Amino acid sequence: MPELPEVETTRRGLEPLVRGATVSGVVVRNHSLRQPVPRDIATSLLGQRIDELERRGKYLLFRTVEGTLIVHLGMSGRLWVVEAQTAPAKHDHFDLALANGNVVRYRDPRRFGLVLWQRGDPLEHKLLRDIGPEPFSDAFNTQWLYAQTRTRSGAIKTTLMDSHLVAGVGNIYASEALFRARINPKLPARRLGPARCATLVETVREVLADAIKAGGSSLRDYVNSKGEAGYFQNNFSVYDRAGKPCLVCGGAIRSLVLAQRSTFYCPRCQAR
DNA sequence: CGCCAGGCCTGCACGC
DNA sequence: TGCGTGCAGGCCTGGC
């Protein structure tokens, strides 16, 4: 379940291996992802040079002069580099072969991910157009969060996961950020005052930055021939810790479902 | 064996 | 009317 930190770690691992390289081959073994992989994606990509590997929310953007390969890892996707001739496994749906000898391989058992080609500016793509500010950008700030939550009666945890409000905050880090901010996940978003908005902006950035930092140590796992591991759990304060002691107060972590998503919090530390 | 998480889009219902 | 909002459904497989 790649969240923003995993996507960013993937980006950092792959960037030096793909930047400046020319696409020499494209293999699509299964077009059936969340959206169909475009039939002409090979034609679009062949011969293009990858100038940049960027991230927007949880989308990876392989930019070329003519357009952009957009990749989303969905919930079970992985992207890493294998040696040429490495035999594909069952769910290896897509390969991007580069003239420098590297082969970028996409594996996604549950196929919630995406592999798309967008001519021109990728940020104009329908899926990216309306995404909110990046969590580490200046645009994601107290004023923005406060203004955006005024009309929201839904739970702040659910609101935090709305990509229009802030890009890339998924289920795990929504719970984690609220725990650090000592805010109850069920609190209606509009009831947050400026001070708590300021805290939340900070803790969202903190939990994501910490996870990216932790991912740095397992960076290699994203570019070696295994492509496994590289997931930095075990550092969670509340996520998936129902019934276990709160690391701050020792009380039992509780779980509940909000908007069909599992949610974890400490009822004592996050009383309101 | 059956259930269900997980990201996130789409479609629908609702209220202003 | 139209829009913002909230909620449910759907996709899919591995793991419990």
Side-chain angles (χ1 to χ4, degrees):
Chain A
M1 41 180 148
E3 290 236 21
L4 187 148
E6 287 81 3
V7 177
E8 176 60 20
T9 299
T10 300
R11 190 195 67 78
R12 293 182 187 184
L14 292 182
E15 188 185 33
L17 303 173
V18 304
R19 186 201 274 264
T22 300
V23 177
S24 58
V26 175
V27 179
V28 183
R29 299 186 189 83
N30 189 346
H31 286 264
S32 173
L33 301 183
R34 197 173 89 216
Q35 285 181 21
V37 179
R39 285 287 155 190
D40 58 353
I41 197 164
T43 313
S44 303
L45 275 166
L46 277 175
Q48 296 288 310
R49 189 188 65 220
I50 297 168
D51 295 322
E52 304 279 352
L53 177 53
E54 294 172 11
R55 178 187 58 73
R56 179 77 174 103
K58 294 178 190 167
Y59 293 88
L60 285 166
L61 310 176
F62 295 75
R63 285 184 182 263
T64 77
V65 164
E66 288 195 11
T68 301
L69 173 69
I70 302 174
V71 176
H72 193 287
L73 301 177
M75 119 99 192
S76 59
R78 293 190 187 285
L79 201 58
W80 77 107
V81 165
V82 297
E83 288 177 23
Q85 315 300 332
T86 304
K90 188 175 179 187
H91 300 294
D92 294 348
H93 308 308
F94 179 81
D95 278 357
L96 187 72
L98 302 173
N100 65 15
N102 290 327
V103 174
V104 179
R105 179 156 286 176
Y106 174 79
R107 174 180 300 174
D108 186 3
R110 296 187 192 178
R111 291 191 272 128
F112 279 21
L114 291 170
V115 174
L116 299 170
W117 170 257
Q118 164 82 355
R119 202 160 286 284
D121 182 0
L123 302 183
E124 285 174 14
H125 192 283
K126 197 183 172 206
L127 295 173
L128 300 176
R129 210 173 41 199
D130 300 322
I131 293 182
E134 286 293 319
F136 297 119
S137 74
D138 292 342
F140 179 59
N141 58 39
T142 305
Q143 290 72 22
W144 169 261
L145 183 58
Y146 185 74
Q148 290 296 309
T149 50
R150 290 314 83 197
T151 58
R152 302 290 208 111
S153 59
I156 180 59
K157 191 262 190 174
T158 305
T159 308
L160 250 196
M161 292 175 64
D162 182 344
S163 65
H164 301 102
L165 192 98
V166 58
V169 177
N171 197 42
I172 294 172
Y173 294 104
S175 281
E176 292 293 318
L178 288 166
F179 172 73
R180 284 205 203 185
R182 303 178 65 90
I183 297 169
N184 191 292
K186 289 177 286 190
L187 184 77
R190 69 199 312 170
R191 306 222 349 238
L192 280 178
R196 305 183 95 194
C197 284
T199 304
L200 191 50
V201 165
E202 216 167 290
T203 61
V204 164
R205 290 191 178 134
E206 275 176 18
V207 293
L208 295 174
D210 285 356
I212 291 170
K213 205 171 163 190
S217 58
S218 58
L219 199 62
R220 280 203 186 114
D221 294 333
Y222 275 93
V223 293
N224 72 11
S225 59
K226 289 182 181 164
E228 309 294 342
Y231 196 49
F232 357 105
Q233 53 200 4
N234 308 325
N235 286 337
F236 301 144
S237 298
V238 288
Y239 184 78
D240 210 20
R241 294 194 67 240
K244 295 185 175 149
C246 170
L247 303 175
V248 171
C249 77
I253 300 300
R254 195 173 293 172
S255 74
L256 74 154
V257 175
L258 290 175
Q260 303 170 283
R261 309 305 302 276
S262 62
T263 304
F264 299 85
Y265 72 112
C266 171
R268 206 184 299 174
C269 294
Q270 299 166 266
R272 56 184 203 95

